[in-house]
């Protein structure tokens, strides 16, 4: 007897990917139920080679559900996650709603899978921001080897990180540029087609954006509170795949060659670093892939024990849907949950 899994936000960029990944990985589900807002009731979504009809979250009874993968934004999660937990399901949430709650584990399985056991306090597990997820997958094995002191990161984030409407906006604007129509920013503050925007999420009092703040706070919670992080988060006209230019300072010596070897053997990491034209990964090649790709690893001669590198991953997968499904797998593998029907 398998699990009953609900996917909330199943019509969205992340939710659709979750359904795909559950099927791809042969997740032990007897039943998968796609849920979204009332607007989407009856919409068809793919689950492997099956087509499922979306149901409305507000009318759904979670009493037989074991696992709820939530991907419908912070407001929906704030209202619904406690109710779903009260009905006896574990919630794995993709929004920022619960990430900073000390009673909610924030998990990237390659980094801190053992912390999932902490889900019992609130019944909720949080998934990090997409930029943080791929960053910590690459930082963890290097930190274990030479202790990271400080990270300086600039991101090049695709529009899918802002959801399906943002993808439609890049498409519509790109078309408008070619047909010499008016280019209208809606979701983004400025035109995104053939442009880059150094602003993701809201501005904070210190001038950083919330997206930049998230990378700092989440890296500390997942990996090590002692690591200092400073980020500049930039939206680029790429549909899927986030890239990051990362500069790392370590306590102890580590060379680019050592780092490459460590990363080659690290879970979730794939090193493609040929030091020739095309011998690196771009976001386009990361689409549909599970790996966090590391390229352009160099010694940084401007600081003691410094490295520079380029990190790329599919934000909808490792940054969101894949990570959430891996968290669910960690719960099952550790026997921390069992299917309600089996238990009955
Ligand atoms: N995109 C990424 O790379 C990424 C990475 C990490 C985390 N996240 C987070 O994941 C969440 C979803 O992101 P997304 O990119 O998939 O957004 P999206 O494409 O805009 O999809 C949003 C989904 O939420 C559903 N929804 C909205 N309001 C609802 C309501 N009142 N009740 C039920 N369902 C509702 C939508 O259903 P309708 O179609 O019916 O409106 C849709 O299925 C966000 O919290 C986001 O911050 C995204």
């Amino acid at each position: 007897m398998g699990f009953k899994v609900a996917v909330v936000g199943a019509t969205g960029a992340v939710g659709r990917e979750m359904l795909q990944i559950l099927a791809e990985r042969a997740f032990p589900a007897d039943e998968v139920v796609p849920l979204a807002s009332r607007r989407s009731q009856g919409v068809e979504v793919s689950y492997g080679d099956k087509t499922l009809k979306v149901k409305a979250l507000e009318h759904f009874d979670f009493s037989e559900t074991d696992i709820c993968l939530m991907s419908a934004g912070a407001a929906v999660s704030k209202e619904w996650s406690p109710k779903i937990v009260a009905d006896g399901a574990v919630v794995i949430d993709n929004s920022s709603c619960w990430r900073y709650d000390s009673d909610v584990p924030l998990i990237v399985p390659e980094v801190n899978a053992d912390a999932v056991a902490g889900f019992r306090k609130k019944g909720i597990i949080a998934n990090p921001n997409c930029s943080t997820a791929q960053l910590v997958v690459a930082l963890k094995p290097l930190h274990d080897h030479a202790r990271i002191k400080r990270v300086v990161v600039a991101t090049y984030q695709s529009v899918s990180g802002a959801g399906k409407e943002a993808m439609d906006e890049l498409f519509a604007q790109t078309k408008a540029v070619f047909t010499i129509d008016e280019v209208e920013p809606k979701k983004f503050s400025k035109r995104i087609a053939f442009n880059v925007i150094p602003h993701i999420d809201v501005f904070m009092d210190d001038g950083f954006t919330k997206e930049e703040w998230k990378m700092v706070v989440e890296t500390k919670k997942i990996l090590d509170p002692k690591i200092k992080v400073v980020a500049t988060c930039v939206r680029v006209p790429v549909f899927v795949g986030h890239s990051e230019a990362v500069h790392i300072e370590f306590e102890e010596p580590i060379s680019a060659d050592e780092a490459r070897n460590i990363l080659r053997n690290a879970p979730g990491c794939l090193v493609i670093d040929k030091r020739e034209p095309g011998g690196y990964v771009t976001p386009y090649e990361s689409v549909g892939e599970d790996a966090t790709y590391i390229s352009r690893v160099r010694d940084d001669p401007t600081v003691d024990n410094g490295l520079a590198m380029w990190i790329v991953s599919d934000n909808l997968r490792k940054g969101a849907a894949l990570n959430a499904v891996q968290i669910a797998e960690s719960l099952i593998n550790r026997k921390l949950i069992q299917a309600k029907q089996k238990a009955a």
Side-chain angles (χ1 to χ4, degrees), residues 7-18 35-41 43 54-58 70-77 79-80 93-97 99 127-131 133 157-167 187 201 211 214 235 240 242 314-321:
V7 175
V8 178
T11 53
V14 174
R16 284 178 189 271
E17 203 70 36
M18 281 173 166
L35 301 168
S37 76
R38 211 177 339 154
R39 299 178 289 273
S40 303
Q41 202 162 346
V43 166
V54 172
K55 296 182 179 173
L57 168 65
E58 62 191 273
M70 286 283 280
S71 180
V76 176
S77 183
E79 181 187 349
W80 282 91
D93 183 47
N94 260 281
S95 79
S96 57
C97 183
R99 289 179 194 156
N127 215 60
N129 181 260
C130 33
S131 303
Q157 297 181 221
S158 67
V159 294
S160 59
K164 63 179 189 298
E165 281 174 24
M167 297 173 82
K187 183 112 185 155
D201 209 333
E211 188 82 352
K214 286 176 198 166
R235 191 70 72 191
V240 178
H242 285 2
D314 180 331
N315 54 293
L316 296 176
R317 289 175 81 91
K318 188 59 207 166

Side-chain angles (χ1 to χ4, degrees), residues 110-112 135-145 148 223:
E110 292 85 345
V111 181
N112 64 341
L135 180 69
V136 295
V137 167
L139 292 185
K140 160 78 175 159
L142 301 174
H143 185 52
D144 287 348
H145 183 83
I148 294 172
L223 189 52

